[in-house]
Amino acid sequence: MHFEKIPHRMTLAAFRENFPTGKITAPKKSDYDESMWAEMKLNFFANFTEETSAGEILYQLTFHNEVLSFLQLSVNGDFNEEGYTQLAAVAQQIIALSAARGTGAPAEQSPLLGWKALIQSPLPDSGRPDERYIPILTAAWHPEGYSASLRYDWTWPGQLYLEYREEQR
């Protein structure tokens, strides 16, 4: 899994070394309002995907002052027992790799909601699509100056979704 090759606070130089074919995008002044340019010109971006048995993981990275300031991994899965099991394995692998990456052990972690309990749970019906999900597994880390979280959910209209997000505060 590429995630283990992306340490917390990775430098842009280390990214280039670990991912020599990875495309790095520099900001363009024309893409930003003049008031934002002084800050945005310090950012570099990288996006890539990784094929896994659980599906295609999308990686999105931002380097601010040449240090990783934002990392997001996301993957969608089919709502069936095999998809549930495969995404649960990826989620647990991300949690297990956290200490080696430098974020430390999870400060908070929910128990994994079992498949049978999940399929017997009705999706909340608040009337808002963004509130129609059931958490399967969550974890949070609190490294100095950053926040990091993992969410593995069953989302409306019947899809499994895993997201890991790490960002500088």
Side-chain angles (χ1 to χ4, degrees), residues 60-108:
Q60 297 171 293
L61 299 87
T62 301
F63 295 88
H64 182 75
N65 284 330
E66 299 198 12
V67 175
L68 185 63
S69 62
F70 176 82
L71 169 63
Q72 180 173 315
L73 282 69
S74 55
V75 59
N76 291 313
D78 293 329
F79 186 67
N80 57 43
E81 191 169 5
E82 181 180 358
Y84 161 87
T85 302
Q86 290 170 336
L87 277 178
V90 171
Q92 291 168 333
Q93 185 177 10
I94 289 170
I95 291 168
L97 290 169
S98 68
R101 289 190 55 251
T103 56
E108 306 159 3

Side-chain angles (χ1 to χ4, degrees), residues 101-160:
R101 289 190 55 251
T103 56
E108 306 159 3
Q109 182 179 337
S110 71
L112 179 68
L113 182 65
W115 172 250
K116 187 172 182 171
L118 176 63
I119 62 174
Q120 293 175 347
S121 301
L123 276 170
D125 192 10
S126 68
R128 293 182 48 161
D130 63 332
E131 293 179 354
R132 296 200 66 194
Y133 67 93
I134 295 174
I136 299 170
L137 178 66
T138 61
W141 298 259
H142 305 286
E144 180 78 28
Y146 285 75
S147 63
S149 61
L150 176 136
R151 292 187 54 118
Y152 175 28
D153 300 320
W154 174 28
T155 63
W156 180 82
Q159 186 174 29
L160 297 172

